Amino acid sequence: MPRKMNRWSRSDRAPKTLLGLVSDLDDHQHLLRESWHRLQVDSAQLKSVAAELRTLACHSSRTDGLLWRVCERLQVPLGIPLIAGRNVNRDHPLNRGLALWKLPFRRLTLDPNHPHGHLMPLRQVFEECEAVFLPTIKDGVLLTHERLILAIAQQIGSAHEDDGIDPDLVRLIGITIGGAPIYSRILQFDAELVLQIGERAIETAEKVHGYQRRKRKTRNGALGDVNLAIRAHPGETILATSTVLSQENPVAEAVLTISTRPSGVVFSIEKRGIEIESIEAPFPSDWRNGNGAVFTFSYSSSERQARTLTNAQKSEPIEFDVGWLDAREFQPPRFHDAAQRVFRMNDVALHERFLTQSECQEILALSSNCEELRSKTARVGPFPE
């Protein structure tokens, strides 16, 4: 009789190829990303976030996290500039009687001069840094990020729903910030950092091993579609290149920069401090007469192409490979001094879909409130006509 499937030992299993593991990482990266973004409207998604973090970044069932295994084989660096408290000194007089403490854990870019901020390997942070201090946890055991993820995933998460939960986890559930359990914010930031390293790994597999990332569709287009539309009026005469706006995407480690020069508006993408690509939207012929215009930048992560529109005048798509960008992961724009001096911006809108030429014309005709336009649905396709 043939052996039953559940009787195969680990040593009998056929090993996965490197690209097979990268494909698995691609899938789990997508599942984590979607659950992470839906957390804002559905707190139940935290169960899925915990389960995916367990698969990607925790040692469980005698197996390292998938992300760590892929990064080791691809030789992907795990360092991220962070401010992270390692653990609470239980013997310090000021810590006696301490009932709970969420240790410092944030990006170094938020406080560049912090004395305890430095480049830290994310795996080391997860395995060694204490996420939350609870005095009831037995001596010598730290509630690290990894242990916190495992406890949530295996007791109240999608990996396993237990009939009972640890008393320490009960305490954490009862402590809320803004209506959400204290551990929710910790796992949200853990997920953001895991997604960042995951992007590094998939990008490395693409460049070094020819891996082709999965193309995933949405109701309005494709995941990874980015559309930035700016409505502006001319200010001072533009004599040189001036940066007017920038938006950072920490997960992609990218910055989208908008500059003006005498011939038009330039959209540039830099990754890890190096400019990768740029494309220009020319000024319309009546720009110097004081007329406003809408300048639009569209990027397709799946096709690795970009194009611009000035009002309804579009450019042809060009090769524009800056890797994977998700419009949902861009931080609010930072306006530079030239923003209102040479290029008076009325509206800046970032979309997860491409705008049509007619929609750009509508933006030009609208008042400063563009909610009407944002609620519309563009047709599906790489770049709408």
Side-chain angles (χ1 to χ4, degrees):
M1 293 180 62
R3 297 174 68 181
K4 295 180 180 180
M5 288 296 293
N6 61 359
R7 295 185 62 186
W8 291 107
S9 67
R10 285 176 176 265
S11 60
D12 293 325
R13 297 174 185 174
K16 291 184 178 180
T17 65
L18 173 58
L19 291 186
L21 290 173
V22 174
S23 179
D24 292 338
L25 174 62
D26 192 350
D27 287 339
H28 285 286
Q29 181 91 343
H30 168 67
L31 294 171
L32 176 59
R33 172 176 264 120
E34 293 308 301
S35 298
W36 182 58
H37 283 294
R38 289 200 296 269
L39 259 175
Q40 305 303 320
V41 294
D42 182 7
S43 60
Q45 295 296 329
L46 191 64
K47 294 176 179 289
S48 298
V49 168
E52 289 303 324
L53 287 175
R54 173 182 180 268
T55 299
L56 290 167
C58 293
H59 184 88
S60 180
S61 300
R62 295 179 293 162
T63 304
D64 279 341
L66 174 62
L67 179 60
W68 309 143
R69 285 180 277 140
V70 172
C71 286
E72 182 178 10
R73 293 186 63 173
L74 292 174
Q75 296 185 318
V76 174
L78 302 180
I80 299 177
L82 293 171
I83 299 167
R86 189 166 294 277
N87 55 64
V88 172
N89 181 357
R90 271 73 170 165
D91 297 326
H92 196 285
L94 291 177
N95 294 333
R96 292 172 186 167
L98 186 63
L100 178 136
W101 188 32
K102 176 182 174 294
L103 278 73
F105 191 43
R106 59 187 182 276
R107 292 187 182 275
L108 183 57
T109 51
L110 300 176
D111 188 2
N113 298 319
H114 196 284
H116 300 296
H118 49 90
L119 190 70
M120 303 183 70
L122 188 60
R123 180 171 185 174
Q124 181 181 345
V125 171
F126 274 31
E127 293 177 351
E128 299 180 9
C129 290
E130 195 170 13
V132 179
F133 167 78
L134 286 172
T136 56
I137 294 180
K138 54 188 175 182
D139 292 341
V141 177
L142 302 180
L143 190 57
T144 61
H145 291 266
E146 183 181 63
R147 285 199 177 100
L148 179 62
I149 292 166
L150 288 171
I152 294 169
Q154 294 172 178
Q155 295 181 48
I156 58 175
S158 294
H160 186 68
E161 198 74 63
D162 210 328
D163 287 337
I165 56 177
D166 292 341
D168 292 320
L169 199 51
V170 172
R171 288 188 59 199
L172 285 179
I173 293 173
I175 300 169
T176 62
I177 299 177
I182 188 172
Y183 63 76
S184 176
R185 293 194 178 189
I186 299 172
L187 260 63
Q188 286 183 57
F189 190 43
D190 286 344
E192 180 181 320
L193 299 176
V194 165
L195 288 170
Q196 180 177 339
I197 298 298
E199 288 303 318
R200 286 186 195 174
I202 296 174
E203 183 179 300
T204 301
E206 288 176 323
K207 292 180 177 178
V208 179
H209 298 278
Y211 176 73
Q212 293 188 349
R213 189 169 190 146
R214 297 184 190 276
K215 297 180 180 181
R216 307 179 193 276
K217 293 292 184 181
T218 69
R219 183 171 59 89
N220 299 326
L223 279 177
D225 289 348
V226 178
N227 194 105
L228 180 68
I230 300 174
R231 188 163 68 101
H233 285 77
E236 300 175 6
T237 301
I238 299 173
L239 301 175
T241 300
S242 300
T243 301
V244 295
L245 180 149
S246 59
Q247 281 192 265
E248 184 180 359
N249 184 323
V251 172
E253 300 178 280
V255 179
L256 170 60
T257 301
I258 294 88
S259 306
T260 58
R261 59 188 182 196
S263 57
V265 179
V266 180
F267 298 88
S268 305
I269 301 284
E270 68 175 46
K271 295 193 75 171
R272 303 177 190 100
I274 300 173
E275 183 174 318
I276 306 297
E277 297 281 4
S278 64
I279 187 172
E280 179 178 307
F283 287 127
S285 57
D286 60 352
W287 175 256
R288 287 185 175 82
N289 297 332
N291 294 314
V294 174
F295 304 93
T296 304
F297 166 76
S298 301
Y299 174 67
S300 169
S301 294
S302 58
E303 301 297 330
R304 305 296 164 92
Q305 292 184 343
R307 79 168 188 192
T308 63
L309 288 86
T310 299
N311 297 335
Q313 189 68 35
K314 67 178 181 179
S315 69
E316 291 300 317
I318 65 169
E319 295 300 316
F320 198 92
D321 190 355
V322 294
W324 183 268
L325 298 178
D326 193 313
R328 298 169 294 181
E329 290 156 12
F330 279 92
Q331 294 182 343
R334 183 168 69 91
F335 297 95
H336 297 253
D337 293 340
Q340 295 303 326
R341 182 167 48 83
V342 300
F343 192 68
R344 303 202 318 265
M345 285 182 281
N346 306 109
D347 297 295
V348 178
L350 191 65
H351 296 75
E352 301 168 43
R353 62 177 180 83
F354 300 132
L355 298 185
T356 63
Q357 293 167 277
S358 60
E359 286 177 318
C360 291
Q361 285 293 85
E362 289 183 60
I363 294 179
L364 190 60
L366 287 173
S367 66
S368 59
N369 184 359
C370 289
E371 290 301 322
E372 175 188 351
L373 179 71
R374 295 190 184 106
S375 66
K376 294 187 176 180
T377 300
R379 55 184 286 191
V380 174
F383 289 107
E385 296 297 329

